[in-house]
């Protein structure tokens, strides 16, 4: 047996024994193994060599059938490897779907996905076990005839299992197997098992990139690797494989990006939240939504969302194909936005009338019985903080800087006595937030300092959910709908952040408005100075007049009555 490496990968060569030259000819048999790590290629060659020696014992075998059988066996071994690789991604995706459904209260549907994840895990374990059996066989075949005889039954079992996996190889029962005679091959160069070639399937290449990214973000304590953006990347990658297909990376063309974008233009938004789409593949979801009358059809993804997904696929592609020859350049391809996509929505602040209506309702006895709900609009309006930042506030986050009280979002969360990284959206979100005097006058700061419940969270009610920010978002959305001040995607809780940003910008300028709200500076020059607001800057933000035409008297009067 010989094994050598060329540009396209390893090639296995098997000599023809003198005793059967009349049946198979003198020239050796060659099989291209393709791009494999050196160790894996040698194991593959040993198994093929054992199969070749067994096939040559058959008096009815001819050279053409022998070569075809060896190539078919090699293809089955390659398919075994290909099937094993993406199972980890599919298991992770199923578990993520289950978690999302559980957070929405759909326990029955979540069970379906957990059952699916369990089945996939069993399949992965089965294939892993099968690959370990192949390791045993390759080890025995590389030794002597005694070792080979001891492993003959295992070899026959492997052959039968490969056939059950869809293989075309039918090897006759061996009456006697000669020991494999190997000729030492040239030492192969060391190669990382994560090495990607043009023939590597995209699922495998992308999985390497995503796993490496998660490992890089993992803090070693389980924090940092499960951010929403990482989950979004996983979902985008899964969608691309489902729509375009999982092929060797040499298969893909820039036009496949257009195919992906065109399909996304018909995908309904928040599809996992609609019962009619439960358990359907992405293509089935698209078809089902298309069949619904236009007036009842679920709104499709917007052009801006599709652009984000395309950008994410380009990022994964560029990292997965770095250094690989003869693959398409997707990064320079400009995708045409599909006409079927929904128009991007420009969010803006809420009208004054809507905010005043909201503030009046917030102080009613019915709502104030749920302080975790009642205070959120006021805090969002007067601080400009994101809802996800507000629900994670702890009473210990209210600190004094040179006598000035602020919310300090630079501090870690303290949960069960342990420090946990605060979940913030961007680097610029790590900041101090000025506390306007209106928050004192309305009674919120006094309320917040008294909270000593679940881990000191000011809004502990939401922390019983898997995703506290999502639970708060749903409650705020339902409240706005009930007050008739909600407009899908346009007039939502996040709109208060637009109101706040405009208020700060008018009275304190762009720079202070950006730093108060945690937005990135618009120029290099604007990035100079201290990251956190200085005392003089805090004073300036605290001294600005109340937002024009807004009525805070319901909260002020409520506090006066309480005193």
């Amino acid at each position: 047996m010989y094994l050598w490496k060329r540009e396209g990968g390893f090639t296995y060569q098997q000599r023809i024994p003198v005793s059967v030259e009349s049946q198979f000819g003198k020239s050796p048999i060659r099989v291209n193994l393709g791009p494999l790590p050196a160790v894996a290629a040698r194991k593959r060659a040993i198994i093929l060599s054992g199969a070749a020696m067994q096939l040559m014992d058959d008096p009815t075998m001819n050279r053409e059938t022998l070569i075809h059988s060896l190539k078919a066996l090699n293809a089955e071994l390659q398919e075994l490897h290909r099937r094993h690789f993406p199972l980890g991604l599919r298991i992770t995706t199923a578990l993520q779907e289950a978690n999302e459904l559980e957070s929405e209260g759909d326990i029955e549907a979540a069970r379906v996905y957990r059952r699916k994840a369990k089945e996939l895990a069993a399949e992965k374990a089965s294939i892993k076990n099968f690959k370990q059996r192949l390791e045993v066989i390759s080890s025995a075949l590389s030794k002597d005839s005694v070792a080979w005889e001891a492993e003959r039954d295992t070899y026959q079992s492997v052959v039968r299992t490969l056939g059950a996996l869809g293989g075309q190889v039918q090897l006759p029962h061996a009456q006697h197997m000669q020991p494999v005679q190997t000729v030492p091959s040239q030492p192969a160069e060391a190669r990382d098992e994560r090495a990607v070639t043009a023939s590597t399937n995209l699922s495998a290449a992308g999985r390497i990139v995503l796993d490496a990214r998660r490992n890089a973000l993992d803090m070693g304590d389980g924090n940092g690797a499960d951010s929403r953006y990482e989950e979004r990347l996983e979902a985008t990658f899964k969608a691309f494989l489902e729509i375009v297909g999982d092929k060797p990376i040499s298969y893909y063309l820039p036009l496949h990006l257009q195919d992906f974008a065109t399909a996304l233009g018909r995908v309904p938004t928040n599809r996992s939240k609609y019962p009619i789409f439960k358990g359907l593949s992405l293509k089935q979801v698209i078809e089902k939504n298309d069949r619904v009358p236009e007036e009842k059809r679920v709104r499709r993804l917007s052009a801006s969302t599709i652009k984000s997904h395309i950008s994410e696929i380009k990022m994964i592609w560029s990292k997965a194909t770095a250094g690989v020859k003869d693959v398409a350049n997707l990064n320079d391809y400009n995708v045409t936005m599909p006409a079927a996509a929904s128009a991007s929505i420009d969010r803006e602040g809420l009208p004054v009338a809507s905010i005043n209506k909201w503030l009046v309702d917030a102080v009613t006895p019915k709502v104030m019985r749920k302080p975790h709900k009642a205070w959120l609009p006021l805090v969002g309006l007067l601080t400009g903080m994101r809802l996800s930042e507000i629900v994670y506030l702890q009473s210990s986050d209210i600190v004094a800087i040179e006598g000035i009280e602020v919310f300090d979002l630079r501090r870690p969360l303290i949960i069960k006595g342990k420090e946990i990284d605060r979940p913030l959206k961007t680097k610029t979100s790590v900041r101090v937030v000025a506390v306007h005097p209106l928050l004192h006058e309305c009674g919120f700061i006094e309320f917040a300092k008294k909270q000593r419940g679940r881990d000191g969270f000011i809004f502990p009610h939401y922390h019983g959910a898997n995703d506290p920010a999502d639970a708060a978002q749903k409650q705020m959305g339902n409240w706005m709908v009930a007050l008739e001040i909600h407009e899908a995607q346009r007039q939502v809780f996040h709109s208060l952040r637009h109101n706040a940003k405009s208020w700060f910008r008018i009275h304190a300028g762009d720079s202070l408005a950006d730093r108060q709200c945690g937005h990135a500076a618009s120029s290099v020059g604007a990035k100079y100075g201290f990251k956190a607001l200085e005392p003089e800057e805090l004073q300036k933000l605290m001294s600005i007049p109340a937002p024009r035409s807004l009525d805070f008297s319901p909260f002020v009067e409520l506090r006066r009555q309480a005193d």
Side-chain angles (χ1 to χ4, degrees), residues 283-322:
K283 291 182 178 180
Q284 290 172 331
V285 167
I286 292 171
E287 293 170 358
K288 192 172 186 69
N289 196 48
D290 285 349
R291 290 195 295 268
V292 175
E294 188 171 354
E295 64 275 9
K296 296 182 179 180
R297 187 178 300 154
V298 177
R299 186 177 182 273
R300 291 164 172 163
L301 296 180
S302 68
S304 59
T305 300
I306 294 172
K307 287 179 182 177
S308 296
H309 286 306
I310 295 297
S311 176
E312 288 154 8
I313 288 297
K314 285 184 175 181
M315 183 275 288
I316 294 173
W317 176 266
S318 64
K319 291 180 180 292
T321 61

mmCIF file of all heavy atoms in Angstrom, residues 283-322:
data_model
loop_
_atom_site.group_PDB
_atom_site.id
_atom_site.type_symbol
_atom_site.label_atom_id
_atom_site.label_comp_id
_atom_site.label_asym_id
_atom_site.label_seq_id
_atom_site.Cartn_x
_atom_site.Cartn_y
_atom_site.Cartn_z
ATOM 1 N N LYS A 283 -38.672 26.839 4.477
ATOM 2 C CA LYS A 283 -39.346 26.873 3.173
ATOM 3 C C LYS A 283 -40.843 26.653 3.323
ATOM 4 O O LYS A 283 -41.651 27.287 2.627
ATOM 5 C CB LYS A 283 -38.728 25.814 2.251
ATOM 6 C CG LYS A 283 -37.304 26.137 1.819
ATOM 7 C CD LYS A 283 -36.757 25.081 0.860
ATOM 8 C CE LYS A 283 -35.343 25.448 0.411
ATOM 9 N NZ LYS A 283 -34.785 24.442 -0.509
ATOM 10 N N GLN A 284 -41.233 25.775 4.235
ATOM 11 C CA GLN A 284 -42.662 25.542 4.463
ATOM 12 C C GLN A 284 -43.325 26.767 5.083
ATOM 13 O O GLN A 284 -44.477 27.080 4.769
ATOM 14 C CB GLN A 284 -42.835 24.326 5.372
ATOM 15 C CG GLN A 284 -42.473 23.005 4.720
ATOM 16 C CD GLN A 284 -42.460 21.845 5.707
ATOM 17 O OE1 GLN A 284 -42.195 22.029 6.901
ATOM 18 N NE2 GLN A 284 -42.745 20.646 5.224
ATOM 19 N N VAL A 285 -42.588 27.467 5.971
ATOM 20 C CA VAL A 285 -43.115 28.695 6.577
ATOM 21 C C VAL A 285 -43.390 29.732 5.493
ATOM 22 O O VAL A 285 -44.438 30.394 5.484
ATOM 23 C CB VAL A 285 -42.125 29.251 7.616
ATOM 24 C CG1 VAL A 285 -42.498 30.675 8.019
ATOM 25 C CG2 VAL A 285 -42.086 28.358 8.843
ATOM 26 N N ILE A 286 -42.445 29.888 4.573
ATOM 27 C CA ILE A 286 -42.599 30.854 3.477
ATOM 28 C C ILE A 286 -43.835 30.516 2.650
ATOM 29 O O ILE A 286 -44.663 31.383 2.338
ATOM 30 C CB ILE A 286 -41.341 30.863 2.585
ATOM 31 C CG1 ILE A 286 -40.145 31.441 3.358
ATOM 32 C CG2 ILE A 286 -41.584 31.668 1.315
ATOM 33 C CD1 ILE A 286 -38.819 31.302 2.636
ATOM 34 N N GLU A 287 -43.961 29.249 2.267
ATOM 35 C CA GLU A 287 -45.086 28.830 1.434
ATOM 36 C C GLU A 287 -46.418 29.017 2.152
ATOM 37 O O GLU A 287 -47.402 29.462 1.556
ATOM 38 C CB GLU A 287 -44.901 27.362 1.029
ATOM 39 C CG GLU A 287 -43.716 27.136 0.090
ATOM 40 C CD GLU A 287 -43.392 25.660 -0.105
ATOM 41 O OE1 GLU A 287 -44.075 24.823 0.534
ATOM 42 O OE2 GLU A 287 -42.465 25.353 -0.875
ATOM 43 N N LYS A 288 -46.457 28.689 3.451
ATOM 44 C CA LYS A 288 -47.706 28.821 4.207
ATOM 45 C C LYS A 288 -48.125 30.283 4.323
ATOM 46 O O LYS A 288 -49.310 30.617 4.171
ATOM 47 C CB LYS A 288 -47.545 28.206 5.601
ATOM 48 C CG LYS A 288 -48.859 28.043 6.355
ATOM 49 C CD LYS A 288 -48.651 27.259 7.635
ATOM 50 C CE LYS A 288 -49.990 26.959 8.315
ATOM 51 N NZ LYS A 288 -50.804 26.001 7.551
ATOM 52 N N ASN A 289 -47.159 31.160 4.601
ATOM 53 C CA ASN A 289 -47.486 32.581 4.726
ATOM 54 C C ASN A 289 -47.925 33.161 3.386
ATOM 55 O O ASN A 289 -48.809 34.022 3.333
ATOM 56 C CB ASN A 289 -46.276 33.346 5.269
ATOM 57 C CG ASN A 289 -46.647 34.724 5.784
ATOM 58 O OD1 ASN A 289 -47.607 34.881 6.541
ATOM 59 N ND2 ASN A 289 -45.892 35.736 5.382
ATOM 60 N N ASP A 290 -47.328 32.689 2.310
ATOM 61 C CA ASP A 290 -47.703 33.174 0.978
ATOM 62 C C ASP A 290 -49.144 32.806 0.628
ATOM 63 O O ASP A 290 -49.810 33.514 -0.147
ATOM 64 C CB ASP A 290 -46.760 32.602 -0.089
ATOM 65 C CG ASP A 290 -45.396 33.279 -0.084
ATOM 66 O OD1 ASP A 290 -45.263 34.318 0.592
ATOM 67 O OD2 ASP A 290 -44.479 32.776 -0.742
ATOM 68 N N ARG A 291 -49.624 31.676 1.152
ATOM 69 C CA ARG A 291 -50.985 31.218 0.831
ATOM 70 C C ARG A 291 -52.060 31.973 1.605
ATOM 71 O O ARG A 291 -53.240 31.919 1.260
ATOM 72 C CB ARG A 291 -51.121 29.713 1.114
ATOM 73 C CG ARG A 291 -50.339 28.834 0.138
ATOM 74 C CD ARG A 291 -50.791 27.382 0.238
ATOM 75 N NE ARG A 291 -50.499 26.796 1.535
ATOM 76 C CZ ARG A 291 -49.390 26.134 1.820
ATOM 77 N NH1 ARG A 291 -48.446 25.979 0.902
ATOM 78 N NH2 ARG A 291 -49.205 25.623 3.027
ATOM 79 N N VAL A 292 -51.643 32.681 2.681
ATOM 80 C CA VAL A 292 -52.597 33.448 3.481
ATOM 81 C C VAL A 292 -53.013 34.705 2.710
ATOM 82 O O VAL A 292 -52.176 35.334 2.052
ATOM 83 C CB VAL A 292 -51.958 33.844 4.833
ATOM 84 C CG1 VAL A 292 -52.872 34.737 5.646
ATOM 85 C CG2 VAL A 292 -51.596 32.594 5.621
ATOM 86 N N PRO A 293 -54.298 35.076 2.742
ATOM 87 C CA PRO A 293 -54.724 36.322 2.076
ATOM 88 C C PRO A 293 -53.882 37.508 2.527
ATOM 89 O O PRO A 293 -53.469 37.578 3.693
ATOM 90 C CB PRO A 293 -56.187 36.470 2.526
ATOM 91 C CG PRO A 293 -56.628 35.063 2.832
ATOM 92 C CD PRO A 293 -55.421 34.369 3.380
ATOM 93 N N GLU A 294 -53.612 38.404 1.629
ATOM 94 C CA GLU A 294 -52.670 39.500 1.901
ATOM 95 C C GLU A 294 -53.014 40.286 3.150
ATOM 96 O O GLU A 294 -52.129 40.677 3.916
ATOM 97 C CB GLU A 294 -52.605 40.433 0.691
ATOM 98 C CG GLU A 294 -51.520 41.489 0.817
ATOM 99 C CD GLU A 294 -51.320 42.276 -0.461
ATOM 100 O OE1 GLU A 294 -51.947 41.914 -1.484
ATOM 101 O OE2 GLU A 294 -50.552 43.244 -0.440
ATOM 102 N N GLU A 295 -54.303 40.520 3.404
ATOM 103 C CA GLU A 295 -54.678 41.328 4.559
ATOM 104 C C GLU A 295 -54.431 40.612 5.887
ATOM 105 O O GLU A 295 -54.348 41.245 6.943
ATOM 106 C CB GLU A 295 -56.156 41.740 4.461
ATOM 107 C CG GLU A 295 -57.161 40.582 4.504
ATOM 108 C CD GLU A 295 -57.387 39.947 3.134
ATOM 109 O OE1 GLU A 295 -56.641 40.303 2.188
ATOM 110 O OE2 GLU A 295 -58.302 39.115 3.017
ATOM 111 N N LYS A 296 -54.302 39.269 5.841
ATOM 112 C CA LYS A 296 -54.051 38.502 7.062
ATOM 113 C C LYS A 296 -52.627 37.956 7.123
ATOM 114 O O LYS A 296 -52.254 37.320 8.105
ATOM 115 C CB LYS A 296 -55.043 37.335 7.155
ATOM 116 C CG LYS A 296 -56.494 37.771 7.285
ATOM 117 C CD LYS A 296 -57.407 36.554 7.420
ATOM 118 C CE LYS A 296 -58.861 36.975 7.573
ATOM 119 N NZ LYS A 296 -59.764 35.804 7.700
ATOM 120 N N ARG A 297 -51.861 38.197 6.091
ATOM 121 C CA ARG A 297 -50.508 37.648 6.010
ATOM 122 C C ARG A 297 -49.602 38.298 7.053
ATOM 123 O O ARG A 297 -49.682 39.506 7.315
ATOM 124 C CB ARG A 297 -49.952 37.892 4.614
ATOM 125 C CG ARG A 297 -48.609 37.235 4.329
ATOM 126 C CD ARG A 297 -48.186 37.523 2.895
ATOM 127 N NE ARG A 297 -49.165 36.994 1.955
ATOM 128 C CZ ARG A 297 -49.359 37.483 0.736
ATOM 129 N NH1 ARG A 297 -48.657 38.515 0.312
ATOM 130 N NH2 ARG A 297 -50.269 36.950 -0.065
ATOM 131 N N VAL A 298 -48.745 37.495 7.651
ATOM 132 C CA VAL A 298 -47.782 38.026 8.622
ATOM 133 C C VAL A 298 -46.765 38.891 7.882
ATOM 134 O O VAL A 298 -46.270 38.523 6.812
ATOM 135 C CB VAL A 298 -47.055 36.879 9.351
ATOM 136 C CG1 VAL A 298 -46.005 37.437 10.317
ATOM 137 C CG2 VAL A 298 -48.061 36.016 10.109
ATOM 138 N N ARG A 299 -46.473 40.045 8.469
ATOM 139 C CA ARG A 299 -45.536 40.977 7.846
ATOM 140 C C ARG A 299 -44.187 40.310 7.584
ATOM 141 O O ARG A 299 -43.666 39.584 8.424
ATOM 142 C CB ARG A 299 -45.352 42.196 8.751
ATOM 143 C CG ARG A 299 -44.516 43.314 8.156
ATOM 144 C CD ARG A 299 -44.486 44.490 9.127
ATOM 145 N NE ARG A 299 -43.739 45.590 8.572
ATOM 146 C CZ ARG A 299 -42.433 45.737 8.674
ATOM 147 N NH1 ARG A 299 -41.734 44.825 9.326
ATOM 148 N NH2 ARG A 299 -41.812 46.770 8.141
ATOM 149 N N ARG A 300 -43.632 40.555 6.406
ATOM 150 C CA ARG A 300 -42.366 39.933 6.028
ATOM 151 C C ARG A 300 -41.177 40.732 6.560
ATOM 152 O O ARG A 300 -41.310 41.878 6.982
ATOM 153 C CB ARG A 300 -42.283 39.823 4.505
ATOM 154 C CG ARG A 300 -43.270 38.819 3.921
ATOM 155 C CD ARG A 300 -43.431 39.018 2.437
ATOM 156 N NE ARG A 300 -44.225 37.952 1.818
ATOM 157 C CZ ARG A 300 -44.789 38.046 0.617
ATOM 158 N NH1 ARG A 300 -44.628 39.142 -0.088
ATOM 159 N NH2 ARG A 300 -45.492 37.040 0.126
ATOM 160 N N LEU A 301 -40.004 40.102 6.503
ATOM 161 C CA LEU A 301 -38.784 40.769 6.949
ATOM 162 C C LEU A 301 -38.552 42.055 6.170
ATOM 163 O O LEU A 301 -38.879 42.148 4.983
ATOM 164 C CB LEU A 301 -37.576 39.843 6.761
ATOM 165 C CG LEU A 301 -37.549 38.554 7.591
ATOM 166 C CD1 LEU A 301 -36.284 37.766 7.258
ATOM 167 C CD2 LEU A 301 -37.604 38.850 9.077
ATOM 168 N N SER A 302 -37.974 43.020 6.840
ATOM 169 C CA SER A 302 -37.694 44.299 6.190
ATOM 170 C C SER A 302 -36.378 44.245 5.420
ATOM 171 O O SER A 302 -35.544 43.354 5.650
ATOM 172 C CB SER A 302 -37.632 45.416 7.230
ATOM 173 O OG SER A 302 -36.496 45.240 8.060
ATOM 174 N N ALA A 303 -36.203 45.206 4.531
ATOM 175 C CA ALA A 303 -34.975 45.267 3.738
ATOM 176 C C ALA A 303 -33.749 45.432 4.638
ATOM 177 O O ALA A 303 -32.698 44.835 4.385
ATOM 178 C CB ALA A 303 -35.065 46.424 2.740
ATOM 179 N N SER A 304 -33.873 46.216 5.713
ATOM 180 C CA SER A 304 -32.727 46.431 6.602
ATOM 181 C C SER A 304 -32.350 45.143 7.332
ATOM 182 O O SER A 304 -31.169 44.858 7.533
ATOM 183 C CB SER A 304 -33.036 47.534 7.611
ATOM 184 O OG SER A 304 -34.167 47.205 8.390
ATOM 185 N N THR A 305 -33.348 44.344 7.708
ATOM 186 C CA THR A 305 -33.067 43.067 8.358
ATOM 187 C C THR A 305 -32.379 42.115 7.398
ATOM 188 O O THR A 305 -31.430 41.408 7.767
ATOM 189 C CB THR A 305 -34.374 42.432 8.873
ATOM 190 O OG1 THR A 305 -34.985 43.311 9.822
ATOM 191 C CG2 THR A 305 -34.105 41.092 9.538
ATOM 192 N N ILE A 306 -32.835 42.085 6.153
ATOM 193 C CA ILE A 306 -32.227 41.212 5.134
ATOM 194 C C ILE A 306 -30.780 41.624 4.898
ATOM 195 O O ILE A 306 -29.887 40.773 4.784
ATOM 196 C CB ILE A 306 -33.030 41.262 3.824
ATOM 197 C CG1 ILE A 306 -34.428 40.660 4.053
ATOM 198 C CG2 ILE A 306 -32.311 40.516 2.703
ATOM 199 C CD1 ILE A 306 -35.364 40.821 2.890
ATOM 200 N N LYS A 307 -30.516 42.913 4.861
ATOM 201 C CA LYS A 307 -29.145 43.387 4.677
ATOM 202 C C LYS A 307 -28.252 42.898 5.819
ATOM 203 O O LYS A 307 -27.095 42.528 5.601
ATOM 204 C CB LYS A 307 -29.130 44.920 4.619
ATOM 205 C CG LYS A 307 -29.677 45.503 3.324
ATOM 206 C CD LYS A 307 -29.654 47.032 3.362
ATOM 207 C CE LYS A 307 -30.257 47.607 2.081
ATOM 208 N NZ LYS A 307 -30.305 49.098 2.135
ATOM 209 N N SER A 308 -28.787 42.895 7.031
ATOM 210 C CA SER A 308 -28.008 42.411 8.182
ATOM 211 C C SER A 308 -27.677 40.933 8.025
ATOM 212 O O SER A 308 -26.549 40.505 8.292
ATOM 213 C CB SER A 308 -28.790 42.636 9.477
ATOM 214 O OG SER A 308 -28.988 44.015 9.717
ATOM 215 N N HIS A 309 -28.655 40.136 7.586
ATOM 216 C CA HIS A 309 -28.424 38.699 7.394
ATOM 217 C C HIS A 309 -27.378 38.459 6.302
ATOM 218 O O HIS A 309 -26.515 37.585 6.439
ATOM 219 C CB HIS A 309 -29.726 37.996 7.017
ATOM 220 C CG HIS A 309 -30.684 37.837 8.165
ATOM 221 N ND1 HIS A 309 -30.330 37.243 9.347
ATOM 222 C CD2 HIS A 309 -31.990 38.185 8.308
ATOM 223 C CE1 HIS A 309 -31.370 37.239 10.176
ATOM 224 N NE2 HIS A 309 -32.390 37.813 9.562
ATOM 225 N N ILE A 310 -27.454 39.216 5.223
ATOM 226 C CA ILE A 310 -26.473 39.077 4.133
ATOM 227 C C ILE A 310 -25.082 39.420 4.647
ATOM 228 O O ILE A 310 -24.094 38.731 4.347
ATOM 229 C CB ILE A 310 -26.849 39.985 2.946
ATOM 230 C CG1 ILE A 310 -28.169 39.533 2.312
ATOM 231 C CG2 ILE A 310 -25.734 39.995 1.905
ATOM 232 C CD1 ILE A 310 -28.128 38.152 1.713
ATOM 233 N N SER A 311 -24.984 40.483 5.437
ATOM 234 C CA SER A 311 -23.695 40.890 6.000
ATOM 235 C C SER A 311 -23.120 39.794 6.894
ATOM 236 O O SER A 311 -21.905 39.527 6.876
ATOM 237 C CB SER A 311 -23.869 42.185 6.789
ATOM 238 O OG SER A 311 -22.670 42.565 7.427
ATOM 239 N N GLU A 312 -23.976 39.135 7.661
ATOM 240 C CA GLU A 312 -23.526 38.075 8.557
ATOM 241 C C GLU A 312 -23.023 36.858 7.784
ATOM 242 O O GLU A 312 -22.006 36.247 8.139
ATOM 243 C CB GLU A 312 -24.667 37.689 9.508
ATOM 244 C CG GLU A 312 -24.937 38.773 10.551
ATOM 245 C CD GLU A 312 -26.351 38.756 11.082
ATOM 246 O OE1 GLU A 312 -27.098 37.798 10.764
ATOM 247 O OE2 GLU A 312 -26.737 39.708 11.790
ATOM 248 N N ILE A 313 -23.720 36.511 6.702
ATOM 249 C CA ILE A 313 -23.273 35.385 5.870
ATOM 250 C C ILE A 313 -21.941 35.712 5.213
ATOM 251 O O ILE A 313 -21.036 34.863 5.132
ATOM 252 C CB ILE A 313 -24.331 35.033 4.808
ATOM 253 C CG1 ILE A 313 -25.526 34.359 5.469
ATOM 254 C CG2 ILE A 313 -23.761 34.120 3.728
ATOM 255 C CD1 ILE A 313 -25.207 33.034 6.137
ATOM 256 N N LYS A 314 -21.780 36.931 4.753
ATOM 257 C CA LYS A 314 -20.503 37.336 4.149
ATOM 258 C C LYS A 314 -19.369 37.225 5.166
ATOM 259 O O LYS A 314 -18.260 36.819 4.821
ATOM 260 C CB LYS A 314 -20.604 38.774 3.620
ATOM 261 C CG LYS A 314 -21.407 38.922 2.335
ATOM 262 C CD LYS A 314 -21.367 40.362 1.849
ATOM 263 C CE LYS A 314 -22.064 40.513 0.502
ATOM 264 N NZ LYS A 314 -22.009 41.915 0.007
ATOM 265 N N MET A 315 -19.653 37.595 6.409
ATOM 266 C CA MET A 315 -18.625 37.511 7.452
ATOM 267 C C MET A 315 -18.220 36.061 7.694
ATOM 268 O O MET A 315 -17.030 35.734 7.740
ATOM 269 C CB MET A 315 -19.147 38.156 8.745
ATOM 270 C CG MET A 315 -18.125 38.182 9.887
ATOM 271 S SD MET A 315 -18.079 36.667 10.866
ATOM 272 C CE MET A 315 -19.631 36.815 11.755
ATOM 273 N N ILE A 316 -19.217 35.183 7.834
ATOM 274 C CA ILE A 316 -18.927 33.765 8.064
ATOM 275 C C ILE A 316 -18.161 33.194 6.876
ATOM 276 O O ILE A 316 -17.188 32.455 7.030
ATOM 277 C CB ILE A 316 -20.239 32.981 8.299
ATOM 278 C CG1 ILE A 316 -20.896 33.435 9.607
ATOM 279 C CG2 ILE A 316 -19.969 31.471 8.335
ATOM 280 C CD1 ILE A 316 -22.275 32.853 9.835
ATOM 281 N N TRP A 317 -18.601 33.548 5.660
ATOM 282 C CA TRP A 317 -17.966 33.044 4.442
ATOM 283 C C TRP A 317 -16.506 33.487 4.351
ATOM 284 O O TRP A 317 -15.615 32.687 4.040
ATOM 285 C CB TRP A 317 -18.742 33.517 3.219
ATOM 286 C CG TRP A 317 -18.118 33.134 1.911
ATOM 287 C CD1 TRP A 317 -17.254 33.883 1.150
ATOM 288 C CD2 TRP A 317 -18.280 31.895 1.222
ATOM 289 N NE1 TRP A 317 -16.886 33.194 0.026
ATOM 290 C CE2 TRP A 317 -17.491 31.969 0.041
ATOM 291 C CE3 TRP A 317 -19.004 30.738 1.461
ATOM 292 C CZ2 TRP A 317 -17.425 30.928 -0.884
ATOM 293 C CZ3 TRP A 317 -18.946 29.700 0.554
ATOM 294 C CH2 TRP A 317 -18.153 29.798 -0.606
ATOM 295 N N SER A 318 -16.257 34.761 4.598
ATOM 296 C CA SER A 318 -14.891 35.275 4.460
ATOM 297 C C SER A 318 -13.942 34.597 5.445
ATOM 298 O O SER A 318 -12.795 34.313 5.109
ATOM 299 C CB SER A 318 -14.874 36.797 4.654
ATOM 300 O OG SER A 318 -15.271 37.141 5.968
ATOM 301 N N LYS A 319 -14.412 34.312 6.647
ATOM 302 C CA LYS A 319 -13.567 33.641 7.643
ATOM 303 C C LYS A 319 -13.400 32.157 7.310
ATOM 304 O O LYS A 319 -12.316 31.588 7.471
ATOM 305 C CB LYS A 319 -14.165 33.799 9.040
ATOM 306 C CG LYS A 319 -14.099 35.223 9.587
ATOM 307 C CD LYS A 319 -14.712 35.302 10.978
ATOM 308 C CE LYS A 319 -14.645 36.717 11.536
ATOM 309 N NZ LYS A 319 -13.259 37.129 11.809
ATOM 310 N N ALA A 320 -14.484 31.527 6.834
ATOM 311 C CA ALA A 320 -14.434 30.090 6.540
ATOM 312 C C ALA A 320 -13.550 29.790 5.340
ATOM 313 O O ALA A 320 -12.937 28.717 5.260
ATOM 314 C CB ALA A 320 -15.843 29.555 6.300
ATOM 315 N N THR A 321 -13.467 30.718 4.381
ATOM 316 C CA THR A 321 -12.723 30.462 3.141
ATOM 317 C C THR A 321 -11.367 31.156 3.106
ATOM 318 O O THR A 321 -10.700 31.138 2.072
ATOM 319 C CB THR A 321 -13.552 30.915 1.927
ATOM 320 O OG1 THR A 321 -13.818 32.325 2.021
ATOM 321 C CG2 THR A 321 -14.876 30.171 1.859
ATOM 322 N N ALA A 322 -10.971 31.764 4.214
ATOM 323 C CA ALA A 322 -9.676 32.461 4.241
ATOM 324 C C ALA A 322 -8.552 31.482 3.899
ATOM 325 O O ALA A 322 -8.408 30.441 4.520
ATOM 326 C CB ALA A 322 -9.442 33.074 5.621
#
